[in-house]
Amino acid sequence: MNELSEPDAMSLSVSVMQSNEAPVQLTPLVLDSLPNPPLADDVCPRRARIQIDLMLLAIEALDLSGSEAILMMVSELELQPVIKNRVSLWRLRSTNPLRRYSQRRPLTLTEGKALVVVGSQLARRLTVLIRQLLLAYQQLEEKQLSLEHHFRLYEYLERFRAHFRSRMNPRRAAVAAYNSDERLDELALDLLAKLLLCTGTYGMQRFWVSLFDGEVA
Amino acid sequence: MTIQRQYSLPNCTLVLEGLGDLALMGQADVRPLMSVLINAECHLPGQEKPLSGGREFLESLVKTVSQYAQELLSGVHATSHLKHSNALVQLAPLDKTHHRLSVLPEGALPGSGIAAHLTRNIDLTTVQLFDLIEAVDQFFADTQTLPDLALNVKPLSRRLARGNESASQQVVPAALGLSGLVLAAIALFAIPIPKINQPTCLKQGDPTCEKTTPAQPGASPTVSPTPTSGSPTASPSASAPADRPTTAASPSGLTAVPANAPEITDAAELTTLGKTLYSKINDTWKTRTPIQNDLVYQVGVNPNGEIVGAKPINDAAVSNIKQTPLLDLLPTPPGGSQATTQPLGLFKVVFTSTGILDVAPWRQAMASPISSTPQEITDARTIKALQPKLYDQIDQNWKADPGFDKELIFRVRVKQDGSIFDYRPESQSATDFVKETPLPQLGKPVAENSPPSQESLALYKVVFKPNGVLEISPWRGRKD
C-alpha cells in the first residue's frame, strides 16, 4: 500500500495512483462527491445510521485517540458547519437506534455524508494497521489458532467489545443478538474488512452508496 | 501505436494494452487517451499465468468486482445475482477470510462440462480482494484509459434486494429469524386454517373465471382439504363442499395439494426441492407490489421439482393470489388423479408484505407444539423473548419529543409473533397523552366486553417517561 497510505501523496489528482480528490476541494465539495440517493425523504435510513456509527466505533477501537481524531478530522476537512463540536458529533452518532441514549431525531443526508467522509479519511490513515490486522486474522484462521494469539488484533477486538457494550442498549433485539464475545468479535472483524474497503480510491463512495442498498425504490 | 497502462498494488496488477484515438494522435499529450482495448491482464498471487481477455473479460471483471464490493459493504445481496450465473467473471464468499474469483472460459457454454472444466478458480484473501478492487478503482479513476468504463455505483433497489445481510454479520439475527418463524408457526396454529373455497369457475360464464385456469369438472375432487397438521391422512370427500364455509367470494383458482399422495420426508431431497421451488417462484414473482399481509401457502412439489398443487393458508393468501406467480406455475389443467401417485414434497411458501419470498419444508415450519386453548402466555422464556421485539417496535416508532411531564403507563398485550394486540392506558395521563405515543398506530385500544381472544397473548407494562426513556417489563413481574 505504498501511495495510498500516505495522505500527502493524494495532493495532485492527475496521476492515476492518487486519490481523485485534492484536499483543496474538501469542503463542502467533499460532500458533493457523494451522490444523493433517490429517497422519499432526505434522511438516512435505519441501517445507514447503524452502520455509520459502528464504523466510527471500530475506528475508535483501532486508534486509542480515535474520538479526538474524529473531531480533528472534522476541523481538518472544515466540516464544522455540519458537525459543530463534540456534543453535536455525539448527537449525530446517537441517531444510531441501537444506542443506549438513542436520539429521537433524524440524520440528514448531509450529516450522514459528513460522518462517512470523516470515517473514510480516518480509515485511510489507518490503512497499514487495518491490513496488518486482517492479515493476522487470516493467518490465525489458517493455523486454526484463537484470536488471542495476535496481541494487536486481540487488543482491537477487546476494545471494540468494551465500546459496544458500554454504548449500545442491551434491551434492543439487534444488540441482544451480540451477547457473546464471539459474536462481537465477528462483528468487529466484519467492520474491519469494511474499513479496509473504505480506504480505497472510491471506497468512500462505495461505502456511502452501500448504505442505501435495498432502501431505494 | 499501442498504449500500456498498469495499475499495481501489492497483491494485484492490472495491465491494459490498447490503442489510442487516431484523431487525437500527434497532440503533445503526455498520457494519450486509450480508447480501444486490445488485451487486459490481471496478475494475482499464486497464479503463474495471469487472467486475461479482451473487452468482454474486462467489462465483466470490473462489473463483478464492483458489485461484490458493494455487497460486502452493505451485506445486502441482489436477487438478480442468480441470473448473472453466465457472467464471465464471478465472485462469491468462500469462508470468513476468503473469496472465490471464478473466470469462465470465453465462448464456452455456461454450465456445460467444458466450461466447468476450464473455469479458473482463484481464492483471494480479503486483503488480496481489496487490492483487486483498488486496481479496478484506479482504472475507473483514470480518465485517460477507456473513459467509457468509469465508476458506476448506485444503491440496490428494494425490489432487487434479497433482504438478508452478510452471513458473518447476521448469524445471530438469522437465528432470531428462525425463532420468529417458529413463533409464527405457533401463531398460525392458533388461527383456524381457511378451507379451500369451492371454485366458482364451475359455473359457466362467471366473469371471474376469465383469467384463471379453465374450469374443469374433474377439478373438484382434487380440491380436497389437506390435513392441517401436515400429516396426510384425510381423504378427499365428496361431501366436502357442504362443510366448507365459503368465507371469501373470490375463487382461489388453485389446485389443492393432493391429499393422499405419499409425502417426501428425506431432508436432503426436501432441501434440494426447496431450493428449486424458491428460485422458480422468486424468478417469476415480478409484481412485488406492497401488500398488507404476508401471503402464506402450502405448496406441493413432485420429485421433478414441478409444482402440483397449492393451498392458501391465510385469508390474505386467498384474495391476493393474483399478486403471486403461483397460478402461472401450476399445471393446467389441474393435475388430476395421476399426480396423486407421485410422492410429494410439502412446503410452506410465504410472500411477505415487504416483497421477500420465504420457502421452508412444511413439517419443519409447522413442527411446534399446538396450543389448543387460547390463554395468556405465562412461559417466562417466551415473555422474555417477546420483550425486545415489543421494545424495538415502540421505540422505533416513537419519534415525537415527549410533550407530557408525567409517566404514561400502559398495559400492552402482545401476540406470539411479537405484534401488539391491544393496549390499555393505566393512568389518567396515559389516557390524555395516548396520541403522543406510537401505540395507536401499532395496535388498537382494548375493547371492553370483547369476546376472549383466540390467541395466546403476553402482557407487558409499558412506560413512556417525559425524558424520552422507554421502559418495558412483564406485566406480572419477572420470573427469572
Side-chain angles (χ1 to χ4, degrees):
Chain A
M1 277 315 291
N2 28 28
E3 283 86 347
L4 281 171
S5 55
E6 297 164 27
D8 292 345
M10 296 169 193
S11 44
L12 294 169
S13 61
V14 186
S15 164
V16 289
M17 294 305 290
Q18 291 156 2
S19 164
N20 59 324
E21 76 225 358
V24 196
Q25 299 182 327
L26 286 170
T27 81
L29 281 178
V30 67
L31 300 188
D32 290 346
S33 65
L34 302 178
N36 274 354
L39 293 165
D41 42 2
D42 282 346
V43 297
C44 296
R46 177 183 153 84
R47 186 169 61 80
R49 285 180 276 135
I50 297 175
Q51 284 301 315
I52 291 173
D53 185 38
L54 287 181
M55 181 177 80
L56 294 172
L57 201 69
I59 288 175
E60 287 174 295
L62 278 175
D63 178 359
L64 267 182
S65 55
S67 45
E68 291 305 315
I70 294 174
L71 287 167
M72 278 168 66
M73 185 57 83
V74 168
S75 71
E76 216 169 291
L77 298 175
E78 296 174 38
L79 286 170
Q80 287 105 329
V82 189
I83 307 170
K84 287 182 197 65
N85 49 36
R86 191 181 300 273
V87 174
S88 68
L89 171 68
W90 177 79
R91 283 221 181 93
L92 297 190
R93 292 185 62 183
S94 296
T95 57
N96 172 4
L98 306 190
R99 286 234 171 199
R100 271 179 206 272
Y101 302 102
S102 181
Q103 300 282 300
R104 297 184 195 287
R105 73 182 284 272
L107 183 70
T108 65
L109 287 182
T110 309
E111 291 164 342
K113 282 180 189 178
L115 291 176
V116 166
V117 171
V118 168
S120 301
Q121 293 295 333
L122 287 170
R124 281 191 183 177
R125 291 200 175 163
L126 295 165
T127 300
V128 175
L129 176 61
I130 295 172
R131 284 179 79 103
Q132 279 172 355
L133 295 189
L134 282 171
L135 200 65
Y137 170 46
Q138 171 220 326
Q139 286 165 349
L140 292 177
E141 280 282 308
E142 278 165 11
K143 293 178 190 153
Q144 299 193 322
L145 290 171
S146 66
L147 299 168
E148 298 100 85
H149 285 82
H150 190 277
F151 174 72
R152 193 64 188 80
L153 180 63
Y154 189 67
E155 199 183 32
Y156 161 70
L157 295 175
E158 207 172 35
R159 273 212 294 260
F160 180 82
R161 290 197 302 261
H163 283 327
F164 188 92
R165 285 184 177 135
S166 65
R167 298 186 201 172
M168 302 301 155
N169 184 349
R171 283 181 299 187
R172 319 256 352 184
V175 175
Y178 296 106
N179 60 358
S180 71
D181 284 5
E182 291 74 36
R183 284 167 188 167
L184 276 177
D185 286 353
E186 264 174 40
L187 176 65
L189 290 164
D190 186 60
L191 288 167
L192 200 57
K194 287 179 178 171
L195 280 182
L196 178 64
L197 294 196
C198 289
T199 65
T201 299
Y202 283 132
M204 186 171 80
Q205 282 86 347
R206 291 190 185 282
F207 177 64
W208 171 252
V209 166
S210 81
L211 295 174
F212 306 95
D213 263 3
E215 307 282 353
V216 299
Chain B
M1 176 181 105
T2 58
I3 306 167
Q4 201 186 57
R5 295 281 147 81
Q6 186 168 325
Y7 310 93
S8 300
L9 282 126
N11 294 301
C12 174
T13 305
L14 186 63
V15 183
L16 305 181
E17 224 173 51
L19 296 173
D21 198 331
L22 286 174
L24 296 171
M25 282 290 174
Q27 288 182 15
D29 208 338
V30 188
R31 291 185 83 244
L33 183 81
M34 185 204 284
S35 54
V36 179
L37 181 78
I38 299 173
N39 190 47
E41 278 184 3
C42 184
H43 300 256
L44 289 162
Q47 301 292 312
E48 278 179 29
K49 244 177 61 189
L51 297 171
S52 69
R55 169 98 190 185
E56 199 189 341
F57 162 74
L58 181 67
E59 273 184 25
S60 186
L61 179 75
V62 299
K63 187 179 169 195
T64 300
V65 165
S66 244
Q67 265 179 5
Y68 191 71
Q70 187 157 337
E71 267 188 33
L72 277 187
L73 282 167
S74 72
V76 178
H77 301 273
T79 43
S80 57
H81 228 253
L82 298 163
K83 289 167 199 156
H84 289 305
S85 55
N86 54 355
L88 219 49
V89 179
Q90 294 175 22
L91 258 167
L94 199 62
D95 58 38
K96 278 189 266 182
T97 52
H98 290 86
H99 316 262
R100 173 160 286 177
L101 177 73
S102 307
V103 182
L104 274 63
E106 244 167 308
L109 196 68
S112 67
I114 299 172
H117 187 67
L118 293 176
T119 297
R120 283 181 70 179
N121 289 324
I122 302 169
D123 296 342
L124 302 171
T125 66
T126 303
V127 173
Q128 290 167 344
L129 172 75
F130 169 75
D131 285 351
L132 173 62
I133 296 170
E134 182 57 17
V136 167
D137 276 4
Q138 291 186 1
F139 156 64
F140 277 155
D142 180 0
T143 51
Q144 291 298 99
T145 308
L146 305 176
D148 54 324
L149 287 178
L151 181 74
N152 176 24
V153 286
K154 50 179 194 287
L156 205 60
S157 78
R158 208 172 290 128
R159 200 167 43 84
L160 292 175
R162 210 161 59 204
N164 54 344
E165 303 202 352
S166 72
S168 58
Q169 194 193 348
Q170 290 293 318
V171 176
V172 179
L176 281 180
L178 201 64
S179 62
L181 185 64
V182 173
L183 285 174
I186 297 169
L188 273 172
F189 259 104
I191 304 167
I193 302 214
K195 299 287 192 321
I196 293 285
N197 300 316
Q198 176 80 339
T200 47
C201 288
L202 288 173
K203 283 177 241 152
Q204 285 240 321
D206 191 323
T208 56
C209 284
E210 284 168 13
K211 281 181 185 163
T212 54
T213 48
Q216 286 231 342
S220 72
T222 66
V223 190
S224 55
T226 313
T228 56
S229 61
S231 54
T233 48
S235 55
S237 104
S239 65
D243 54 43
R244 251 178 244 141
T246 46
T247 44
S250 68
S252 69
L254 287 175
T255 316
V257 180
N260 51 357
E263 194 179 336
I264 298 171
T265 50
D266 178 54
E269 195 175 355
L270 279 178
T271 310
T272 321
L273 285 175
K275 277 184 190 154
T276 322
L277 182 63
Y278 179 90
S279 49
K280 200 176 258 183
I281 300 178
N282 205 32
D283 287 350
T284 45
W285 188 23
K286 302 286 185 215
T287 52
R288 303 205 187 211
T289 43
I291 32 177
Q292 284 272 309
N293 299 307
D294 293 354
L295 312 181
V296 187
Y297 298 88
Q298 186 191 46
V299 173
V301 175
N302 70 17
N304 302 328
E306 288 154 355
I307 299 178
V308 294
K311 185 176 85 152
I313 298 301
N314 58 1
D315 283 342
V318 179
S319 45
N320 290 307
I321 177 70
K322 283 186 186 157
Q323 304 281 345
T324 77
L326 285 176
L327 286 178
D328 301 329
L329 292 169
L330 278 168
T332 46
S337 52
Q338 84 282 4
T340 61
T341 56
Q342 284 184 306
L344 280 185
L346 291 176
F347 291 90
K348 181 177 169 206
V349 176
V350 183
F351 300 85
T352 71
S353 50
T354 48
I356 292 163
L357 180 69
D358 196 8
V359 174
W362 184 261
R363 278 170 179 273
Q364 192 185 317
M366 290 300 168
S368 36
I370 302 170
S371 54
S372 51
T373 48
Q375 55 189 348
E376 183 182 335
I377 297 173
T378 50
D379 173 41
R381 270 170 47 202
T382 315
I383 291 181
K384 201 173 167 190
L386 287 174
Q387 190 169 324
K389 291 188 181 183
L390 178 64
Y391 187 94
D392 282 6
Q393 276 182 75
I394 299 181
D395 190 51
Q396 271 162 37
N397 287 290
W398 188 20
K399 299 217 171 79
D401 274 332
F404 44 86
D405 51 10
K406 278 189 189 145
E407 289 184 352
L408 313 184
I409 304 171
F410 293 87
R411 189 195 73 172
V412 175
R413 293 202 289 175
V414 175
K415 292 191 232 175
Q416 291 269 19
D417 61 358
S419 62
I420 295 176
F421 182 76
D422 62 9
Y423 60 90
R424 188 177 75 191
E426 293 291 324
S427 61
Q428 187 54 47
S429 50
T431 317
D432 297 343
F433 289 97
V434 64
K435 289 211 175 94
E436 291 215 0
T437 77
L439 288 175
Q441 64 187 92
L442 294 169
K444 57 182 194 311
V446 66
E448 297 300 334
N449 309 322
S450 61
S453 157
Q454 292 298 302
E455 297 178 65
S456 315
L457 299 169
L459 273 63
Y460 294 93
K461 179 179 176 184
V462 175
V463 182
F464 297 86
K465 297 200 167 176
N467 60 359
V469 171
L470 174 67
E471 273 186 11
I472 296 184
S473 55
W475 186 253
R476 303 194 193 283
R478 284 200 174 77
K479 286 179 185 150
D480 48 5

